[in-house]
Amino acid sequence: MASKRQSLGDAKLAKLDEFYTQLSDIEKEVRHYKKHFKGKVVYLNCDDPRASQFFHYFSYNFERLGLKKLIATCYKSQDMDLFSAGDSERAIYLEYTGDKDGDRIPGRNEIEVKCLNGDGDFRSQESITLLKEADIVVTNPPFSLFREYVAQLMKYNKKFLIIGNMNAVTYKEIWPYIQQNRIWLGVTRTGTGQMWFRIKNDAPVKKGQRVDENGDRYQTIGHSAWFTNLDHSKRHEELTLYRTHAPDAYLSYDNYNGIEVGKAVNIPVDWEGVMGVPITFLGKYNPDQFEIVGIAKAPLGEPSKIYPKQTQVSANGARSTVTKLNDGPALKVETPPTDKTYYEIDGEYYVQLYARILIRHKRVIA
């Protein structure tokens, strides 16, 4: 079995998980949670405190937020230049308890630097000890370790504000927390826009990158989103709806109980039953207005039927035998589409949709 050092190192190398969040994105999101931070210990456990904009933000806004303490650690591999902008050969953590000389600037003599015996892995006992001391965790954890990272936060019952891939809501390890209203999305960047992350200058060149006027490189991740269990006002805003239900306007799923609603704005105000909406709906989800019934996405959810092997016909006409129709919600159609993939079973035609969250109105407008 790979060691923790190897597993984290391999994940960062293979998945290019070292993305530095921009200060502007942090400012836009954290300002919605100011009331939660007063008197709290904030822990940044996946950041290089010498390069992290998270540490910059919370140290420079320490007094304004009324923090009690700020702690920051980072993973440290044997390759001293791989995960650190500094030149230390040991993993470190920083502690900051506020301004001491009255200039409201976190000076070097006010930030306590301590060495870790281990590598700073968030799963190490040293890091867990610091986690236990914290009230709120804020960071951008490795996307490839998101399941394990969230599991640790939930195990120790921590409040948090973290960045992850929007598709994580469909993970079997994450979805139950979403449905139980124990995790929800933040205010900004809820999977529908682009979030740009600074990357190392020697990172591989790929699509979705840019270079700014200073020569710094950035990578965009369009499906990134904030995940949190800190309440915020947007989460309780009523979603204004205008559509009413009409049988010819809303198709029913063939393998799930519910009607298809492709956009949140098209949710019918007078429908009492279950509706399937895209996962981006979670950015508009108001737990006072809607109930989350389930999800239509294998292996989660409870489909009403399981299909036998089917013939997949791609948009270019290529045919193959698959079982993919069971991966998510399906619609039965009278005639096969000509511009996208469809599935055929015993002369009947189906199209498959991406994962859908199954919701129901808490109050139906007649």
Side-chain angles (χ1 to χ4, degrees):
M1 180 180 293
S3 68
K4 288 181 179 179
R5 179 190 301 277
Q6 290 171 326
S7 60
L8 182 56
D10 290 346
K12 290 210 173 212
L13 284 170
K15 303 295 185 180
L16 298 179
D17 277 352
E18 191 172 12
F19 300 118
Y20 291 95
T21 310
Q22 293 190 85
L23 182 61
S24 58
D25 285 322
I26 298 170
E27 291 173 333
K28 289 175 186 176
E29 183 68 25
V30 177
R31 67 187 179 89
H32 295 280
Y33 307 88
K34 184 178 178 181
K35 65 180 182 180
H36 294 286
F37 286 99
K38 187 174 182 180
K40 298 298 192 298
V41 175
V42 173
Y43 184 30
L44 320 173
N45 64 345
C46 285
D47 296 89
D48 183 338
R50 295 155 296 196
S52 168
Q53 294 293 351
F54 282 102
F55 186 80
H56 178 95
Y57 176 84
F58 283 103
S59 61
Y60 275 81
N61 289 277
F62 191 96
E63 282 74 25
R64 185 178 68 84
L65 293 171
L67 299 183
K68 179 181 179 181
K69 181 190 287 189
L70 176 63
I71 307 172
T73 62
C74 70
Y75 177 80
K76 180 63 187 173
S77 80
Q78 290 181 350
D79 181 348
M80 58 183 285
D81 295 320
L82 188 56
F83 305 117
S84 174
D87 57 2
S88 173
E89 295 185 7
R90 296 186 63 182
I92 64 168
Y93 72 99
L94 308 185
E95 286 190 350
Y96 180 61
T97 56
D99 180 54
K100 303 296 190 298
D101 57 15
D103 64 359
R104 292 297 179 114
I105 296 175
R108 288 180 177 272
N109 61 329
E110 297 169 326
I111 300 173
E112 190 172 1
V113 181
K114 299 181 179 181
C115 289
L116 293 168
N117 294 319
D119 55 21
D121 188 316
F122 69 85
R123 297 162 293 186
S124 69
Q125 191 54 55
E126 286 180 304
S127 295
I128 291 174
T129 297
L130 294 172
L131 176 66
K132 291 178 178 178
E133 181 184 353
D135 299 301
I136 305 174
V137 178
V138 187
T139 193
N140 176 12
F143 281 14
S144 59
L145 295 174
F146 193 77
R147 298 171 175 85
E148 190 170 358
Y149 187 82
V150 170
Q152 184 188 80
L153 294 176
M154 303 306 286
K155 175 181 178 180
Y156 291 100
N157 195 30
K158 293 300 173 181
K159 296 294 184 180
F160 58 86
L161 179 62
I162 60 176
I163 296 174
N165 190 307
M166 182 69 181
N167 291 326
V169 303
T170 66
Y171 298 167
K172 62 184 177 64
E173 300 89 350
I174 304 297
W175 171 252
Y177 298 130
I178 298 289
Q179 185 171 1
Q180 297 162 14
N181 281 313
R182 297 176 63 190
I183 296 178
W184 47 87
L185 294 188
V187 176
T188 62
R189 304 293 189 186
T190 53
T192 57
Q194 292 183 328
M195 189 180 291
W196 289 89
F197 298 88
R198 186 171 62 80
I199 57 176
K200 286 185 175 292
N201 290 333
D202 59 354
V205 176
K206 58 184 295 186
K207 291 183 179 179
Q209 294 183 355
R210 66 176 174 84
V211 180
D212 68 11
E213 64 276 6
N214 298 318
D216 292 325
R217 295 177 59 195
Y218 293 84
Q219 174 76 51
T220 183
I221 303 178
H223 294 292
S224 51
W226 291 92
F227 291 79
T228 188
N229 56 1
L230 298 172
D231 204 11
H232 53 80
S233 60
K234 183 178 179 180
R235 187 168 174 258
H236 300 281
E237 291 179 357
E238 190 88 0
L239 178 61
T240 303
L241 303 170
Y242 303 95
R243 297 284 296 270
T244 56
H245 181 263
D248 59 343
Y250 296 92
L251 298 176
S252 296
Y253 299 124
D254 186 65
N255 58 340
Y256 284 90
N257 173 33
I259 61 172
E260 161 66 2
V261 182
K263 296 180 180 179
V265 68
N266 292 333
I267 292 174
V269 298
D270 57 345
W271 181 250
E272 295 184 2
V274 176
M275 302 167 283
V277 292
I279 62 174
T280 52
F281 164 81
L282 289 174
K284 302 178 177 65
Y285 170 56
N286 177 348
D288 307 316
Q289 185 178 9
F290 298 100
E291 172 193 359
I292 295 179
V293 177
I295 189 170
K297 174 72 168 71
L300 300 166
E302 298 180 359
S304 58
K305 69 162 63 174
I306 300 296
Y307 299 104
K309 288 184 178 180
Q310 61 270 184
T311 299
Q312 175 182 282
V313 184
S314 66
N316 63 10
R319 302 173 72 88
S320 57
T321 301
V322 300
T323 58
K324 293 182 180 179
L325 197 55
N326 292 307
D327 290 348
L331 296 174
K332 187 176 181 180
V333 295
E334 292 297 325
T335 57
T338 58
D339 58 346
K340 63 181 179 181
T341 297
Y342 67 91
Y343 301 85
E344 183 178 348
I345 304 175
D346 296 331
E348 296 183 317
Y349 307 107
Y350 305 84
V351 294
Q352 187 191 62
L353 305 171
Y354 187 65
R356 291 293 190 259
I357 294 174
L358 303 176
I359 64 170
R360 182 188 288 119
H361 283 289
K362 284 192 170 181
R363 304 181 302 276
V364 176
I365 300 176

